Amino acid sequence: LELQGLNFNLTEEHLAVQEAARDFAQTELLPGVIERDNEAKFPAEQVRKMGELGFLGMMVSPEYGGGGMDTVSYVLAMEEISKVDASASVIMSVNNSLVCWGLEAFGTEEQKQKYLVPLATGERIGAFCLSEPEAGSDATSQHTTAEDKGDYYLLNGTKNWITNGNSSGTCLVIAQTDVAKKHRGINCLIVEKGTPGFTVGKKEDKMGIRSSDTHSLMFSDVKVPKENRIGDDGFGFKFAMSTLNGGRIGIAAQALGIASGAYELALKYAQERKAFGRQIFDHQAIQFKLAEMATKIEAARLLVFKAARLKDEHKDYVQAAAMAKLYASEVAMWVTTEAVQVHGGYGYVKEFHVERLMRDAKITQIYEGTSEIQKLVIARELIR
Ligand code: CAA
Ligand code: FAD
């Protein structure tokens, strides 16, 4: 299940990134991953190290403190980290592909110097705040308002389900300025923690990715200077959608990693466990499960790398990203469920990791656009 044999033109640099991510996952993330999941404990120390190693601003230009790498490198690193700890990888994904990417692509030079540099180096963590209690899939129906007050915006409302909600220092907040203009009256504002009127709500007690911190965020008469708006007036929704196109490649890679992690554990276990006098791998029912897992994972990998390559080549990747996320997330759910089955009763307990991967897999079908929303995006592209 490696890509070297294929004509993906993986360079020495790509392989070095993949190896560095694999090493980091094995040495820094694997020890303690079960405890962090049990205790829903944010991996603060591990995230700090990810910043030091350059995993938090991988695609950001070196000019702004980033690694200047391509999307393929990012996907390779996301896969390796997600094999072991999908909580750490969602923290990484939001920072890289939503916050840093959005700021670099659409921010002003001043915004990049002030906000992107500390985000790319991991000195600060970012959050991307689109969803609300009443607006998830239906993202244009924003209730959070950013009233234009001349030289500042007055921000009011609640954002829900925000990854890095508590740990972030810099938040990109989507809000409605002009209701009459519908989605073209939405803005994206850079809001810093500590701004008066900005509070962090309760932490969600989740099924999976339990050590990532998901919070609601509340804004009550928060004054945000005009220079903190990203792009022209009314660009906020387009900003969110454009950013999510790339974000979906990151989540697709996360799903791919969760699936490969579970598959690798199942393959190993099947060769160790004996039943009826032979390895369970020698029972065809188990062999066929592993064959099907490997095939689905390989198909998901091709879609993920296709989307990443298209993005790197500056070609249209909207549909490819949606397809990669839709398929890889379904593969992750299926493979992890089967990996638990291959482990029998041992699969059902925490020590063997696969039950966590199964719980973690589920979120990849929900966030950054549910599977239903990916189908909607794909279908619209079919007739565009
Ligand atoms: N790329 C670029 N622009 C897009 C786009 C895309 N993929 N999808 C829509 N747009 C643009 C459209 O072109 C349109 O703009 P114009 O009118 O100026 O041309 C505008 O957005 C509105 O589009 P629609 O008319 O199609 O709006 P809609 O309401 O019918 O559907 C939607 C929009 C595709 C369903 C969208 O609301 C959506 O993607 N929803 C899912 C939201 C989502 O993914 N949330 C994730 C939150 S972040 C997160 O989850 C992070 C995490 O967990 C880690
Ligand atoms: P709903 O939109 O209410 O959907 C409910 C069901 O209806 C789904 O099955 C959906 O697919 C289906 N549905 C809705 N509309 C349609 C339609 N038109 N056609 C067919 N089916 C439809 N958001 C952020 O902004 N930032 C974050 O950092 C972030 N992190 C998250 C982390 C976690 C752990 C979770 C759980 C969520 C996170 N989200 C974040 C929010 C996430 O993006 C939304 O939960 C997701 O987009 C779905 O929205 P919803 O929960 O309101 O579900």
Side-chain angles (χ1 to χ4, degrees):
L1 290 175
E2 298 295 339
L3 284 159
Q4 284 94 320
L6 287 169
N7 187 22
F8 269 95
N9 299 325
L10 290 191
T11 61
E12 288 299 317
E13 200 185 351
H14 286 136
L15 299 176
V17 170
Q18 184 185 42
E19 199 180 317
R22 189 178 293 158
D23 278 357
F24 175 75
Q26 293 299 324
T27 57
E28 303 286 346
L29 294 174
L30 188 58
V33 67
I34 295 173
E35 290 87 313
R36 290 195 300 276
D37 173 71
N38 275 338
E39 295 161 17
K41 185 171 173 236
F42 185 81
E45 183 56 20
Q46 290 77 5
V47 170
R48 192 185 60 72
K49 286 188 182 150
M50 281 165 93
E52 280 173 12
L53 291 168
F55 289 124
L56 294 179
M58 293 184 69
M59 295 174 288
V60 175
S61 151
E63 195 187 334
Y64 302 111
M69 287 179 234
D70 59 9
T71 316
V72 168
S73 303
Y74 169 58
V75 155
L76 287 164
M78 274 296 295
E79 181 184 353
E80 291 306 322
I81 288 174
S82 307
K83 279 183 186 175
V84 175
D85 188 345
S87 294
S89 75
V90 72
I91 298 163
M92 170 176 165
S93 176
V94 167
N95 204 69
N96 276 281
S97 46
L98 296 181
V99 183
C100 287
W101 190 86
L103 270 170
E104 186 163 22
F106 302 110
T108 62
E109 184 56 30
E110 291 72 31
Q111 289 170 346
K112 290 183 207 177
Q113 292 296 348
K114 186 168 177 191
Y115 301 107
L116 179 58
V117 173
L119 286 163
T121 54
E123 196 185 309
R124 272 188 167 219
I125 303 294
F128 180 85
C129 316
L130 173 65
S131 306
E132 300 186 348
E134 309 294 331
S137 302
D138 186 8
T140 60
S141 58
Q142 292 287 313
H143 288 62
T144 300
T145 54
E147 212 183 318
D148 190 336
K149 293 285 191 185
D151 56 352
Y152 68 91
Y153 286 102
L154 196 62
L155 188 63
N156 277 290
T158 300
K159 291 290 167 182
N160 221 17
W161 314 113
I162 304 306
T163 300
N164 300 340
N166 193 45
S167 51
S168 56
T170 303
C171 302
L172 305 185
V173 183
I174 313 295
Q176 188 83 43
T177 296
D178 188 342
V179 183
K181 290 187 181 155
K182 300 184 177 162
H183 68 267
R184 292 185 185 153
I186 290 173
N187 280 308
C188 176
L189 306 178
I190 306 167
V191 190
E192 288 185 283
K193 281 279 173 59
T195 311
F198 180 1
T199 50
V200 177
K202 75 171 172 62
K203 179 174 173 176
E204 302 296 344
D205 188 3
K206 306 190 295 293
M207 173 198 280
I209 55 163
R210 286 178 53 76
S211 63
S212 70
D213 64 327
T214 317
H215 289 256
S216 52
L217 299 179
M218 275 83 76
F219 304 92
S220 174
D221 284 340
V222 177
K223 284 185 180 177
V224 184
K226 268 271 168 77
E227 68 254 27
N228 282 27
R229 186 186 71 212
I230 299 183
D232 294 336
D233 184 29
F235 179 66
F237 195 71
K238 201 76 188 170
F239 169 83
M241 290 297 115
S242 308
T243 305
L244 280 165
N245 290 329
R248 287 166 185 165
I249 302 177
I251 299 303
Q254 179 186 46
L256 174 64
I258 294 171
S260 335
Y263 161 80
E264 286 173 11
L265 290 168
L267 181 63
K268 185 163 171 279
Y269 188 79
Q271 294 169 88
E272 288 164 4
R273 179 72 176 172
K274 290 203 171 67
F276 297 91
R278 48 185 164 149
Q279 290 179 354
I280 59 167
F281 186 83
D282 291 336
H283 295 290
Q284 199 179 51
I286 299 297
Q287 245 175 50
F288 278 15
K289 274 191 204 304
L290 288 155
E292 218 175 325
M293 282 182 197
T295 308
K296 286 180 195 277
I297 289 170
E298 203 57 17
R301 180 172 286 117
L302 293 173
L303 287 175
V304 172
F305 279 80
K306 177 185 170 184
R309 272 278 189 242
L310 287 173
K311 180 164 174 284
D312 286 337
E313 289 172 9
H314 308 288
K315 292 180 181 148
D316 192 337
Y317 58 92
V318 175
Q319 190 186 50
M323 284 181 172
K325 192 207 175 253
L326 171 67
Y327 189 72
S329 63
E330 287 179 359
V331 167
M333 200 63 239
W334 185 83
V335 167
T336 53
T337 308
E338 290 296 74
V340 170
Q341 193 67 17
V342 169
H343 281 75
Y346 295 93
Y348 203 67
V349 296
K350 300 202 169 182
E351 193 186 335
F352 286 78
H353 298 283
V354 284
E355 68 80 34
R356 184 186 72 258
L357 292 167
M358 179 177 157
R359 286 186 284 108
D360 289 349
K362 186 62 204 171
I363 193 59
T364 64
Q365 296 180 310
I366 297 172
Y367 59 21
E368 298 207 20
T370 61
S371 292
E372 291 74 18
I373 293 303
Q374 303 310 321
K375 288 179 197 171
L376 197 141
V377 172
I378 296 163
R380 284 178 184 181
E381 291 290 314
L382 295 178
I383 54 162
R384 193 161 66 96

